[in-house]
Structure formats: structure tokens, C-alpha cells
């Protein structure tokens, strides 16, 4: 035996295994056999739904939709009653501005101050007055998507943002020179900051949350009802009791700057919100349609919202935001007139989020398609709000009538101050009728927003005949629908206008316009 452990002889044997090579003859493929993909034929794996660029798209797409839709027809609708009040308050002298706030509209004073600064830079055209609201609503769309990303992932974030963007009310109030779009944006930002704060409590986050709560309250006092929802969320999601107490301190700190505005607003309740009708079942039933635009669209959103509402985990953020402010406003309306659907506009993001949560198990494509289908239901409303009378009143049409039919030497008379008749009509004429061909306002003694009053002052009743004079033609512009524009205009004005006959009347949306001609028998 050899030392290597092999046997003698000429051929040495190795203990190492040898590879077994088997040659298989080439066999042509069977054309009848089923095709089975190889590894090379498999498609690439899909893009993960947590890809950073998709999350960024979920934020930016709703913002782009709001910006585009809001910009379409931004200058076409005439300013309506409340927007005319904004125009008057942001263009009057500062001393007169402060004097008016002492008597009325103190609760909207912070918004007026903000817009006064903007108008000083951008001017007071219809577009300039509305652009800040468009910017605020655009930002709100991105915030809605960001909240959806945190509470439900990419599907919920994108679908909620798209739904919010295509709702007609989003476009409507993005084109309104009032504080509602700012309230929506502040409510969404406060909610996003709350989620971030509860995830990782930091002093800077408490401070930022308090600042946004203060902003929300200063721009829209009713928006502070959101804190009831935030309290429930903070109690449920706070990892430690210390975190909840920190939230409570931040919320209180945010409310403190609002207290003076709240106090002044409470003193002015009788002159500011006494026109709001009491709550009735009919008004409650009509609220969803007012919030979303159109009965079919409201029904679709409500159906999805009821399916998506949940108090589980982070879904409670949207559910409490939707429910508790509405209940709070309803309760407050039992004590003082407050129930207006637009006061709850800051809850519309919550409706969009809850509706998106109902579709969270659908594919991203199907969820987005569902939201776009809902958007199609809103097309009639989207078209209507961009008409000349899209903001509920045909203020621009008053100017068209006067331009076509007024003559030199004509005078203009307005209705009583009741229900804003005189103030709104005079504001509409002063805004859209050029002074060079505007009939003379012979009864006015003090312009609107002077000497601490919101409306203009007119001749005392006993002096009306003298102030009116004996013109050949008298125009009357009234807020509301009147078969006879002289009816209920005030006893003194009715008596002074008896020598005149109504020659013609015009109806534009929200207003009645009458042309009176002096009767021949009293023409001398």
C-alpha cells in the first residue's frame, strides 16, 4: 500500500468526489405545451407606496388642482354683501377703521388688518382682494393630504387631498374675500401639528401649535370648537399624561390672545349676528348641501363619510374633527344665533379625510377615480359659482343697468338700513358704478364707515323732501325682490316719492332696481 492510502499500480485512485456530467440531447420545444415565464420574463416589482416622490405628489397634486380651479373665473363674480364689507373696511382710513370696529365687526378685525396690509401692496381690485383666500385654500389642500398620509398612508392622503380639491365649496371660498379659507387652512395646520406633537413632544412643537391655535381663533372664533376634537385625540394618543398636559397648556396659551376679540365680539352680538335665523330641522338638513354643493354630491360625501368614521387609532383624528365642532356649534346656537353652514367650513377637510378612509382598502387608482367621479357631480355648481352672479348677488349687473339707462341729472335713492338694504345697495353702486356717470346720492350726509358707523348716514326724515329736491328721474336700488321698489322703503321716502311713477323695474340676482319719473301733472 502506498503512503498516500491508494493502491499500487499504474492508475492512482483519488478520494475526492468527481462531478457527474450528463449530456442531454437537444430537444425541440413542444409547441402545444403551456408557456411558463422564466425569471427573466417577470416584470419589475412595483414602486412601493411609501416612495418619497409619491408622497410628495400626494401633497402637491391637490394643491395644484385648487390653485388652477380657484384661478379660473377669479375676477368674474361680483363681490357680494360680505365681500363688499371687506372692501369697505380695508380701504377706509385707519382712524375710521378703528372707530367702526369699536361698534361692529370686532371679531373679524384681525382678518381686516391682515388684508389691509395686503391691499397696501397689491391694490383693492376684486382679484387682489381674493388672492389671499386662494393661497390659503391651496395650502389647506396640501395640509389635508399631509394629514391623510399620517393617519392612513398614501392612498388616504392622495384621495383625501383630491376630494377636498374638487369640492365646489373649496373653489367657492378660495374665491371669497372673507376669512373662511384662512380658517380652513389654520384648522388643518393645527391638526397636523397636533399629530406631530403627539408623535414626538418637543417644546418648539408645543409653541408652534399654540401659535396656530391663536391664528385660528383670531381669524374665525367659531374655529376654536376644533379644540374639543383635539382634546379627545390628545387624551387617546398621548403616550404619557405629561404629553396631554403639555397639549392642554399649549391650547390655553393659544386661546389667551383671542379672549379680547371674543369679549368685544360678545359685546357686539346684537349688531353683528342678530340677523341669523334660529336653528330649525330644515336648516340642519340643508347644511350638508351648503357645505359640499348640490344634493347628489352631498349625498355621496355623506355616504362615504359614514362608512369611514371610526374612533380606532388615528382615524379618530378625522372623526372627532368632523363631529364635535358641529355638535358644539349646534349647542351654542341654542343660546345665541350662530348656525350658519359656512361657519363649519373648517370641518370640510375632516369630511374629505373620513371619506378617503372609507376607500383605504381600494387600490390607489380606484380611490382616485372615485374622488374624480364625485368631482364630476360638482361640475354644475363649479360652473354656477363662476358666473357674474356666482357669489349669490348680481352686484356687477347693477352697474350694467345704470350704465345703459341713466341720464345726467338723475338721482339715486336707497332702501332702509334694515337687513343691510341700504348699506349693501350703496356699497354695490359705489364699487361698480364709475363716479363720473353715477346718479347723485342726494340723501347721504355721511359716507359709509365714517364716524364709527358701518353704513352711511342720510338726511333726517323731516329733511328728506328738501334733500331729494325735484329731479325729473329718480333711481332706486334695493336689496331683495320687490314688485314695487318704493314699498317699505321708509315712510319719509315714500311720502317724498309720491309725485313719481315707476316707469320700469329690473331684477338682478339679489336686487331690485327701479326708475321713477315725475308725473306730468306735478312736473312744474
Amino acid at each position: 500500500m502506498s503512503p498516500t492510502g491508494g493502491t499500487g499500480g499504474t492508475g492512482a485512485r483519488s478520494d475526492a468526489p468527481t462531478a457527474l456530467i450528463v449530456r442531454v440531447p437537444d430537444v425541440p420545444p413542444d409547441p402545444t405545451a403551456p408557456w411558463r415565464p422564466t425569471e427573466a420574463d417577470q416584470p419589475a416589482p412595483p414602486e412601493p407606496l411609501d416612495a418619497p416622490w409619491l408622497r410628495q405628489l400626494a401633497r402637491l397634486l391637490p394643491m395644484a388642482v385648487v390653485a388652477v380651479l380657484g384661478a379660473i373665473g377669479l375676477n368674474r363674480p361680483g363681490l357680494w354683501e360680505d365681500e363688499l364689507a371687506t372692501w369697505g373696511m380695508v380701504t377706509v382710513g385707519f382712524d375710521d377703521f378703528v372707530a367702526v370696529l369699536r361698534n361692529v365687526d370686532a371679531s373679524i378685525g384681525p382678518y381686516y388688518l391682515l388684508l389691509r396690509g395686503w391691499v397696501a401692496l397689491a391694490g383693492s381690485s376684486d382679484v387682489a382682494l381674493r388672492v389671499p383666500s386662494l393661497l390659503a385654500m391651496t395650502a389647506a389642500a396640501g395640509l389635508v393630504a399631509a394629514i391623510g398620509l399620517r393617519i392612513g398612508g398614501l392612498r388616504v392622503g392622495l384621495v383625501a387631498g383630491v376630494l377636498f380639491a374638487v369640492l365646489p365649496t373649496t373653489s367657492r371660498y378660495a374665491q371669497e374675500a372673507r376669512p373662511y379659507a384662512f380658517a380652513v387652512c389654520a384648522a388643518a395646520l393645527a391638526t397636523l401639528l397636533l399629530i406631530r406633537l403627539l408623535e414626538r413632544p418637543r417644546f418648539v412643537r408645543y409653541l408652534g401649535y399654540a401659535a396656530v391655535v391663536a391664528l385660528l381663533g383670531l381669524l374665525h372664533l367659531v374655529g376654536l370648537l376644533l379644540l374639543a376634537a383635539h382634546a379627545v385625540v390628545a387624551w387617546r394618543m398621548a403616550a404619557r399624561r405629561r404629553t396631554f398636559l403639555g397639549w392642554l397648556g399649549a391650547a390655553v396659551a393659544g386661546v389667551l390672545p383671542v379672549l379680547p376679540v371674543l369679549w368685544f365680539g360678545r359685546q357686539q352680538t346684537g349688531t353683528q349676528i342678530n340677523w341669523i335665523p334660529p336653528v330649525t330641522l330644515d336648516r340642519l338638513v340643508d347644511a350638508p348641501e351648503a357645505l359640499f354643493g348640490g344634493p347628489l354630491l352631498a349625498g355621496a360625501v355623506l355616504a362615504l363619510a359614514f362608512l369611514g368614521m371610526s374612533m380606532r387609532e388615528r382615524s379618530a383624528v378625522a372623526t372627532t374633527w368632523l363631529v364635535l365642532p358641529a355638535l358644539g356649534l349646534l349647542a351654542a346656537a341654542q343660546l345665541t344665533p350662530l348656525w350658519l353652514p359656512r361657519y363649519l367650513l373648517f370641518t370640510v377637510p375632516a369630511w374629505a379625510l373620513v371619506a378617503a378612509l372609507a376607500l383605504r382598502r381600494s387600490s390607489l387608482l380606484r380611490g382616485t377615480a372615485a374622488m374624480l367621479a364625485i368631482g364630476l357631480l360638482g361640475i354644475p355648481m363649479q360652473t354656477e359659482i363662476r358666473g357674474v352672479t356666482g357669489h349669490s348677488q348680481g352686484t356687477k349687473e347693477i352697474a350694467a343697468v345704470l350704465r345703459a339707462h341713466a341720464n345726467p341729472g338723475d338721482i339715486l335713492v336707497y332702501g332702509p338700513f334694515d337687513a343691510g338694504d341700504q348699506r349693501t345697495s350703496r356699497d354695490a353702486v359705489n364699487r361698480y358704478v364709475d363716479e363720473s356717470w353715477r346718479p347723485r346720492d342726494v340723501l347721504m350726509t355721511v359716507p359709509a364707515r365714517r364716524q364709527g358707523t358701518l353704513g352711511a348716514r342720510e338726511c333726517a326724515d323731516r329733511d328728506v323732501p328738501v334733500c331729494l329736491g325735484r329731479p325729473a328721474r329718480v333711481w332706486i336700488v334695493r336689496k331683495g325682490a320687490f314688485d314695487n321698489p318704493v314699498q317699505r322703503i321708509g315712510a319719509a321716502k315714500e311720502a317724498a316719492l309720491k309725485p313719481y311713477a315707476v316707469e320700469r323695474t329690473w331684477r338682478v340676482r339679489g336686487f331690485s332696481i327701479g326708475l321713477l319719473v315725475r308725473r306730468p301733472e306735478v312736473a312744474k
Side-chain angles (χ1 to χ4, degrees), residues 393-394 398 412-426 428-429 475-490 493-494 497 506-514 516:
Q393 292 177 330
I398 297 174
L412 193 55
V413 174
Y414 300 97
F417 190 76
D418 296 344
D421 188 343
Q422 179 196 122
R423 175 176 58 83
T424 304
S425 303
R426 184 176 269 114
V429 171
W475 287 91
I476 297 179
V477 178
R478 303 284 306 276
K479 175 187 171 185
F482 296 92
D483 294 328
N484 180 358
V486 183
Q487 69 184 78
R488 299 196 305 274
I489 199 172
K493 293 177 183 177
E494 287 184 25
L497 292 172
W506 291 262
R507 291 278 188 86
V508 300
R509 188 176 182 184
F511 296 93
S512 299
I513 307 168
L516 280 62

Side-chain angles (χ1 to χ4, degrees), residues 395-412:
T395 50
K396 284 185 175 181
E397 292 183 323
I398 297 174
V401 171
L402 292 176
R403 176 180 286 277
H405 302 282
N407 293 335
D410 291 354
I411 70 168
L412 193 55

Side-chain angles (χ1 to χ4, degrees), residues 200-495:
R200 191 177 181 186
R202 292 290 186 273
F203 176 76
V204 173
R205 294 186 175 184
Y206 286 117
L207 191 63
Y209 177 81
V212 175
V213 167
L215 180 65
L216 173 61
L218 289 171
L219 292 173
H220 187 45
L221 287 173
V222 175
L224 290 179
L225 292 172
L226 179 66
L227 294 180
H230 284 190
V232 174
V233 172
W235 179 262
R236 289 170 56 92
M237 291 180 57
R240 295 177 299 174
R241 183 180 179 184
R242 181 179 177 182
T243 303
F244 174 79
L245 294 177
W247 167 83
L248 183 61
V252 171
V255 171
L256 288 177
V258 186
L259 293 180
V261 176
L262 182 62
W263 186 84
F264 279 112
R266 187 70 185 88
Q267 301 303 309
Q268 298 172 358
T269 297
T271 58
Q272 190 159 323
I273 59 175
N274 60 346
W275 55 271
I276 300 177
V279 182
T280 63
L281 181 60
D282 289 340
R283 296 190 67 224
L284 289 176
V285 171
D286 291 341
E289 184 176 344
L291 276 180
F292 307 119
L296 290 178
L297 194 148
V301 175
L302 285 173
L304 286 173
F306 286 134
L307 291 174
M309 282 194 294
S310 171
M311 291 299 291
R312 295 179 181 177
E313 301 176 353
R314 296 192 176 193
S315 299
V317 172
T319 302
T320 55
W321 182 2
L322 182 156
V323 173
L324 293 183
L327 293 178
L329 185 63
L330 181 60
Q334 308 306 312
L335 304 175
T336 186
L338 274 176
W339 184 262
L340 280 181
R342 64 176 178 266
Y343 284 1
L344 288 172
L345 196 71
F346 69 95
T347 67
V348 170
W351 287 95
L353 288 163
V354 173
L357 286 167
L359 297 169
R360 67 191 304 176
R361 297 190 182 278
S362 302
S363 68
L364 184 61
L365 180 61
R366 289 180 180 177
T368 305
M371 295 304 98
L372 292 177
I374 291 177
L376 292 177
L377 295 176
I379 288 179
M381 184 65 175
Q382 294 278 14
T383 303
E384 180 183 345
I385 64 178
R386 287 168 175 80
V388 177
T389 63
H391 285 198
S392 76
Q393 292 177 330
T395 50
K396 284 185 175 181
E397 292 183 323
I398 297 174
V401 171
L402 292 176
R403 176 180 286 277
H405 302 282
N407 293 335
D410 291 354
I411 70 168
L412 193 55
V413 174
Y414 300 97
F417 190 76
D418 296 344
D421 188 343
Q422 179 196 122
R423 175 176 58 83
T424 304
S425 303
R426 184 176 269 114
D427 279 350
V429 171
N430 290 344
R431 173 66 177 176
Y432 292 113
V433 181
D434 190 88
E435 190 174 3
S436 62
W437 51 271
R438 183 191 309 159
R440 291 181 300 125
D441 187 356
V442 294
L443 298 185
M444 185 180 69
T445 58
V446 178
R449 300 167 189 90
R450 302 290 196 278
Q451 300 180 8
T453 61
L454 190 61
R457 293 183 183 178
E458 294 188 335
C459 297
D461 286 352
R462 65 178 182 274
D463 298 326
V464 166
V466 177
C467 295
L468 188 69
R470 295 171 55 87
R473 306 199 320 167
V474 178
W475 287 91
I476 297 179
V477 178
R478 303 284 306 276
K479 175 187 171 185
F482 296 92
D483 294 328
N484 180 358
V486 183
Q487 69 184 78
R488 299 196 305 274
I489 199 172
K493 293 177 183 177
E494 287 184 25

Side-chain angles (χ1 to χ4, degrees), residues 176-192:
E176 169 137 332
R178 296 298 279 179
Y180 301 113
F182 287 90
V184 173
C185 184
L189 180 57
T191 302
L192 179 61

Side-chain angles (χ1 to χ4, degrees), residues 46-102:
E47 184 77 28
L49 287 182
D50 59 351
W53 74 270
L54 281 173
R55 297 176 70 85
Q56 194 68 14
L57 176 66
R59 298 184 186 94
L60 294 178
L61 180 59
M63 294 178 68
V65 173
V66 172
V68 171
L69 291 181
I72 296 173
L74 185 62
N75 66 330
R76 184 167 173 76
L79 301 179
W80 78 290
E81 182 174 13
D82 284 7
E83 290 182 289
L84 288 170
T86 297
W87 162 69
M89 289 296 287
V90 301
T91 54
V92 75
F94 188 76
D95 290 342
D96 288 316
F97 169 74
V98 173
V100 171
L101 289 184
R102 290 195 182 103

